[in-house]
Amino acid sequence: MRAVLPMLSAHKTGASHAKETLMQHAMTRRTFVASSIATLAGAAATTSANARAVPNSSGTEPPKTKAPANACDAHFHIIDPRFPSPETTKPEGSSLDDYLMHQHRIGTTRAVPVQPKYHRTDHTCMLDALKRLGVNGRGIGVCHPDVADSELKRLDAGGIRGLRFSVWNPKDTVTTIDMIEPLAKRIADLGWHVQLHMSGDQITGTAAMLNRLPCPIVFDHMGRLPPKQGPDHPAFAVIAGLVGKGRAWVKLAGAYLNSEQGPPYADATRIAQAFVAQAPERLVWGSDWPHVTEKHKPDDAELLDLLGVWAGSDKTRNLILVDNPAKLYAF
């Protein structure tokens, strides 16, 4: 018996140890599973947040008012150092892939990139972007008067529908005012327009020339009227006269470029609402991403929501986002 009891005792001790070991394994497994679930949930939350974060834009939330189907962002820039440029700087977060993140966040579909000064008159980057955008993309290029007819036809085939003249700041302009009329005559037969980034004073100073251009005109950034004067500046009447004749359009873009007050841009709102009251059927909207002029990037969702304030109604907002750009850019 004395020999058996130790054996029974040893068996009981072994069974208890096995049971304890199984319990420890079960607890460890439950802890691991719980920890894994928590880790995955945290990773998913982080991924979701990162998916909403867009380079060169503050904020992460979508606009409060959803963009309508086929909404168009008619003014932004693709800047990609992989493509030719005389610049030595390497801008970040401004490629087409970055823009597509921006587009996903604000909910637009159609897109009109505008040739940036970074790429001068080389449209390699632009044409690559338009090819990737497909039927939802149109472009605005930058050329000099010595551009060959064959090059204009190549750009037209690639989706370019106008030429921009950003002459507001003579210190860094790629084109000049005296280039506008000669090129307007060359692109008229292509059905293109000239897009002008001029100051209010430049607009009034060139009113005679603008009225004789043989192609449509698109005024950038609401005509860059002095914010304190706004629609009281003489340039508003020049623009309104051309718009009234069916010869011009206005881009509601760059609220920060038309404001001395900053967000929520009450002074820019006064200018935008004056254009809406004058001819809502001749307006398009642009984000101006990646906001190259701004050290502190604006919230792009707020900029799209601001259009609702400017438009005053969903009907007018949809006109500006969908119907007007479809007509102007032939979507």
Side-chain angles (χ1 to χ4, degrees):
M1 288 293 295
R2 286 193 297 269
V4 173
L5 286 173
M7 291 179 64
L8 291 173
S9 177
H11 176 73
K12 183 177 180 181
T13 301
S16 298
H17 176 72
K19 182 178 181 180
E20 181 178 344
T21 300
L22 287 172
M23 290 178 64
Q24 288 177 348
H25 280 307
M27 290 177 64
T28 302
R29 184 174 182 278
R30 286 195 295 269
T31 301
F32 173 77
V33 171
S35 175
S36 297
I37 292 172
T39 300
L40 289 171
T46 301
T47 299
S48 177
N50 288 340
R52 293 194 301 268
V54 177
N56 290 299
S57 179
S58 64
T60 57
E61 296 301 316
K64 293 182 175 64
T65 305
K66 185 178 179 180
N70 295 320
C72 179
D73 180 354
H75 190 101
F76 64 93
H77 307 286
I78 299 299
I79 305 170
D80 193 331
R82 296 179 305 155
F83 296 95
S85 171
E87 298 286 349
T88 57
T89 57
K90 302 292 184 182
E92 297 180 354
S94 306
S95 70
L96 179 62
D97 288 332
D98 296 313
Y99 176 76
L100 293 176
M101 293 171 60
H102 160 87
Q103 186 184 60
H104 178 73
R105 180 190 172 201
I106 66 173
T108 53
T109 304
R110 293 169 173 167
V112 184
V114 176
Q115 179 79 351
K117 293 176 181 177
Y118 181 86
H119 292 297
R120 302 299 198 275
T121 60
D122 189 306
H123 295 87
T124 309
C125 179
M126 167 72 74
L127 293 176
D128 175 77
L130 291 175
K131 183 177 181 180
R132 292 179 58 189
L133 288 168
V135 297
N136 287 322
R138 302 287 188 272
I140 304 300
V142 173
C143 292
H144 289 159
D146 61 357
V147 63
D149 288 339
S150 59
E151 175 66 0
L152 292 176
K153 291 178 180 178
R154 185 179 79 93
L155 297 178
D156 184 67
I160 302 292
R161 294 296 178 264
L163 292 181
R164 190 193 196 205
F165 300 84
S166 184
V167 297
W168 184 82
N169 181 3
K171 294 180 180 180
D172 69 353
T173 185
V174 177
T175 55
T176 57
I177 290 177
D178 62 348
M179 295 180 182
I180 297 173
E181 191 167 12
L183 280 167
K185 293 177 180 177
R186 304 232 352 243
I187 66 175
D189 289 341
L190 291 171
W192 291 12
H193 59 263
V194 294
Q195 179 175 314
L196 307 180
H197 184 198
M198 306 172 78
S199 69
D201 288 342
Q202 287 173 323
I203 291 170
T204 54
T206 57
M209 181 266 288
L210 298 179
N211 273 279
R212 65 173 180 261
L213 292 182
C215 65
I217 302 168
V218 175
F219 288 97
D220 245 357
H221 301 310
M222 301 189 282
R224 294 302 298 267
L225 307 177
K228 289 181 180 178
Q229 292 176 270
D232 295 329
H233 189 278
F236 182 85
V238 174
I239 297 171
L242 288 162
V243 168
K245 296 174 184 175
R247 300 194 54 241
W249 302 73
V250 178
K251 283 192 176 182
L252 299 183
Y256 40 79
L257 298 176
N258 291 275
S259 176
E260 293 180 353
Q261 301 174 4
Y265 310 111
D267 41 0
T269 293
R270 176 176 174 241
I271 297 170
Q273 289 178 336
F275 281 117
V276 170
Q278 198 255 344
E281 74 282 359
R282 305 295 289 186
L283 308 175
V284 295
W285 175 85
S287 66
D288 199 30
W289 183 92
H291 315 291
V292 294
T293 61
E294 305 307 297
K295 182 178 180 180
H296 302 289
K297 306 299 183 179
D299 186 325
D300 285 283
E302 291 181 356
L303 292 180
L304 185 59
D305 285 331
L306 184 60
L307 176 62
V309 177
W310 292 352
S313 70
D314 289 343
K315 180 180 179 181
T316 301
R317 180 175 178 265
N318 291 352
L319 190 69
I320 295 168
L321 287 174
V322 182
D323 299 338
N324 295 350
K327 181 177 180 181
L328 176 60
Y329 301 108
F331 280 111

